Amino acid sequence: MKLISWNVNGIRACIDKGFLDFFNQEQPDIFAIQETKMQEGQKDIFIDGYTYYMNSAIKKGYSGTLIYVKEKPLSVNYGLIDGKYNDEGRVITLEYPDYYFITMYTPNSQNELKRLPYRLEYEEDLKAYLKTLNKPVIICGDLNVAHQEIDIKNPKGNERNAGFTIEERNAFSSLLNQGYIDTFRFLHPNDVKYSWWSYRMRAREKGIGWRIDYFLVSNELKDKIINADIYDKVLGSDHAPILLDISI
């Protein structure tokens, strides 16, 4: 099963930059999208052969998640427990017979870490929500954290910057310790590959990036992982799409 996730930094803009060409080339079973920056009805986003599920933020032009699927799920849930974080369109969960598929756009701690407490509250709510699920789980999305020093070009210079604070990194470790595997790092323990680059100072051209987009899977799916990769040459966003190929 071929799964792709991509923070498109605005789906309407990304469509104008080749999104559909990439989609049609890859033809994944599931394509998860973060930061849609779009409400329902603002643009026709139907793709032949796929059903889509969207969770938009109340604030226009902000956040939002979207999933395209070839096979319809048994059920769909928006947000975490009691729909929390639906005001920002952060999470979509699809239930299938043998697993759950979740896409999420984790809150950014922002400049001067002014939203770090909110971000850490989200992390705790996420772990609580995952404990309610009674099947193996596949999680994907922009998780807004570079977990280890290998995942960021300049670790020392970013120690108190959003996305690389010790608090965020420890929260990610805590999530993994709850029973999840970072699929890319599992298959490529020593590879340096990034999924996000600042638009400033020609960062992508210079290779100054961060790996903040992930596919995580429950430990019991470890032997089902076939491939995990980053399409770091694909343009259209400040993020690269990521891939998980899994036998499930």
Side-chain angles (χ1 to χ4, degrees), residues 88-193:
E88 297 189 354
R90 293 282 174 187
V91 185
I92 305 173
T93 302
L94 307 183
E95 180 188 5
Y96 286 97
D98 299 317
Y99 65 97
Y100 289 95
F101 181 91
I102 302 175
T103 193
M104 64 179 68
Y105 179 37
T106 300
N108 188 300
S109 296
Q110 299 185 350
N111 292 337
E112 300 179 355
L113 304 179
K114 61 185 179 182
R115 222 181 185 205
L116 180 59
Y118 179 82
R119 158 67 179 267
L120 296 177
E121 179 183 345
Y122 171 92
E123 300 282 1
E124 291 302 311
D125 288 341
L126 171 63
K127 288 190 295 181
Y129 173 67
L130 292 174
K131 288 179 180 179
T132 70
L133 304 181
N134 58 1
K135 302 174 188 177
V137 179
I138 300 170
I139 301 168
C140 73
D142 174 1
L143 306 191
N144 258 318
V145 60
H147 185 215
Q148 302 172 355
E149 291 192 355
I150 192 175
D151 298 315
I152 185 171
K153 179 66 174 179
N154 180 18
K156 294 304 179 186
N158 284 287
E159 287 182 346
R160 288 309 295 166
N161 286 340
F164 198 62
T165 65
I166 192 62
E167 294 92 337
E168 292 163 307
R169 295 167 64 196
N170 284 345
F172 189 84
S173 295
S174 178
L175 173 60
L176 296 183
N177 290 338
Q178 190 166 298
Y180 295 91
I181 293 169
D182 173 355
T183 58
F184 179 83
R185 192 55 66 209
F186 174 69
L187 293 183
H188 311 284
N190 301 308
D191 284 7
V192 175
K193 211 166 184 180

Side-chain angles (χ1 to χ4, degrees), residues 10-13 15-16 35-46 52 54-66 68:
I11 185 65
R12 290 168 291 175
I15 286 173
D16 293 337
E35 206 171 359
T36 57
K37 297 183 177 180
M38 191 182 86
Q39 319 297 120
E40 281 274 16
Q42 286 188 299
K43 189 176 183 70
D44 179 10
I45 57 170
F46 177 78
Y52 74 81
M54 176 180 284
N55 193 1
S56 297
I58 294 172
K59 180 181 176 181
K60 290 185 177 180
Y62 180 73
S63 189
T65 47
L66 171 67
Y68 288 95

Side-chain angles (χ1 to χ4, degrees), residues 71-83:
E71 179 185 347
K72 291 183 179 181
L74 300 176
S75 67
V76 182
N77 184 66
Y78 298 97
L80 299 181
I81 294 173
D82 296 328

Side-chain angles (χ1 to χ4, degrees), residues 189-207:
N190 301 308
D191 284 7
V192 175
K193 211 166 184 180
Y194 303 127
S195 68
W196 176 79
W197 305 261
S198 171
Y199 279 135
R200 300 174 182 175
M201 305 296 291
R202 295 160 49 206
R204 191 165 192 169
E205 180 182 334
K206 295 177 181 177

